Amino acid sequence: MVFLEVIFALTFIYFLGSVIVSGINEAISMLFNKRGLELKRAIILLLNGKDSDWGNQFFEHPRVQELKELPSDFSIRAWPQRLLNFIIRRRVKVKFNPSYISASKFADVMIDFIGNGQTNAVNQQMPSELGNDEVEFIGQMRRFVESSDPYNYKQFVVLYLAGTQPAFPIIDQLKAIQNNASTEYHAYRAAILNSIDQYITDHATMDTRTHTISHLKNKIVQLQDHPNFGAFQQFLASSNTLGEFKEKLEKWYDEYMDRVSGWYKRRMHITVLYIAVLVTVLGNIDSIEILQNLIVNQNFRETVVGAAEQYLEDHPGGFAQDTTLSFEAKIDSIKHHISLTRDLFLPVGIEKVHGFPSLSKIAGWILTIFALSLGAPFWFDMMNKIGNLRASGKKPAAET
């Protein structure tokens, strides 16, 4: 049991460190809108060419402009951009690029660009029947669904479909989806986003003319210098209707976004590794020293084990970092887990380092860095399994 207690306690310490590291990473990502910047970079890479500026114009299109987030006047996230605008004397409102753009939205903009028949062909005219309040409300819903995950998506129903929101027609449509929705999260999320996109399409006109498949086939010949001319021409040639062409564009976009997600995850993993190095070295979190203390110091071991058991008891449904939290709430979460770590009285702290670190300490740091880079969900699952193993291995109470 001592062996299991030591491993259980060490796992909890790694879990808390991983939560802090990943929380810092997410806060930095929100502060600099890294997801939105990565999406913009990927679409520019896909659409721009020697004689084409479609990638940049894509984000100036009204269909994409309506997805951009306008932060409040007191938003901490907007401070860096506002400071930059002040320095360079640029008087524009700060807007964050969307972190998600649906395949349907992408296809609609591409059809509009091709239909205009020019390499530089953004159309800024989009008459809309929607009022400003409704547009802002729809934007709030979309941002919530985009950032939600399987552990908290049910909050969407409470926040937006509980009957306390403005009586916009979109609410009735989403309630219908809720009643017929699959319990599988991704299908439910996709249905909500598609319904929102279709609702906007039904109330806003991209162009004064109607694009048809024959019209697009005639216009595509003007885009022979576009980097995606071959793909567009192939999709049009094999499509008999505008709907078929749009489906091919959506599939093409989804396949590209799968690769982009892989790029982003690899970049985030590298960032997490850098943050883990800083947290480990600045906090002097030496795995070897902590392990030695857990083995020889029973009071210390029991303190950590008790805290781990209490944490599992407080989170019976599992652990998932809430991606819908605001930047300020993420900072509070980081502070909370730092406080939990301090309560364990770990043998850590920069004041304990004297002179050049020993090889043993460097080895302990390397172990910690590797452990923290594995992520909080990994260590929570491991902690849960070890906790169950400890519970099953306890001796039954003696009969009287």
Side-chain angles (χ1 to χ4, degrees), residues 112 149 218 248 346:
D112 193 36
D149 58 44
N218 290 331
K248 289 180 171 62
L346 300 179

Side-chain angles (χ1 to χ4, degrees), residues 250-368:
E250 291 175 356
K251 183 179 179 181
W252 179 60
Y253 174 77
D254 283 335
E255 290 174 349
Y256 180 67
M257 284 297 109
D258 288 340
R259 298 199 298 274
V260 172
S261 296
W263 301 342
Y264 182 76
K265 288 178 181 178
R266 285 193 292 272
R267 287 192 177 93
M268 287 299 98
H269 186 73
I270 293 174
T271 304
V272 165
L273 191 61
Y274 289 151
I275 297 173
V277 171
L278 290 175
V279 170
T280 299
V281 175
L282 295 179
N284 187 25
I285 308 176
D286 182 349
S287 289
I288 295 177
E289 184 178 359
I290 292 174
L291 182 60
Q292 290 172 342
N293 277 269
L294 288 172
I295 293 173
V296 302
N297 190 332
Q298 182 178 353
N299 291 334
F300 173 55
R301 183 172 67 247
E302 289 177 350
T303 298
V304 180
V305 168
E309 290 176 337
Q310 184 62 48
Y311 198 97
L312 287 176
E313 184 178 338
D314 294 339
H315 298 79
F319 172 81
Q321 291 177 310
D322 193 343
T323 56
T324 65
L325 292 177
S326 65
F327 176 79
E328 293 78 5
K330 287 185 183 293
I331 298 299
D332 290 339
S333 176
I334 295 171
K335 291 179 179 178
H336 171 67
H337 286 88
I338 290 177
S339 177
L340 289 177
T341 306
R342 287 175 175 170
D343 292 342
L344 301 179
F345 301 102
L346 300 179
V348 300
I350 196 64
E351 71 279 1
K352 292 183 176 293
V353 179
H354 302 286
F356 190 79
S358 64
L359 292 178
S360 173
K361 183 166 291 294
I362 293 175
W365 286 350
I366 292 174
L367 288 174
T368 304

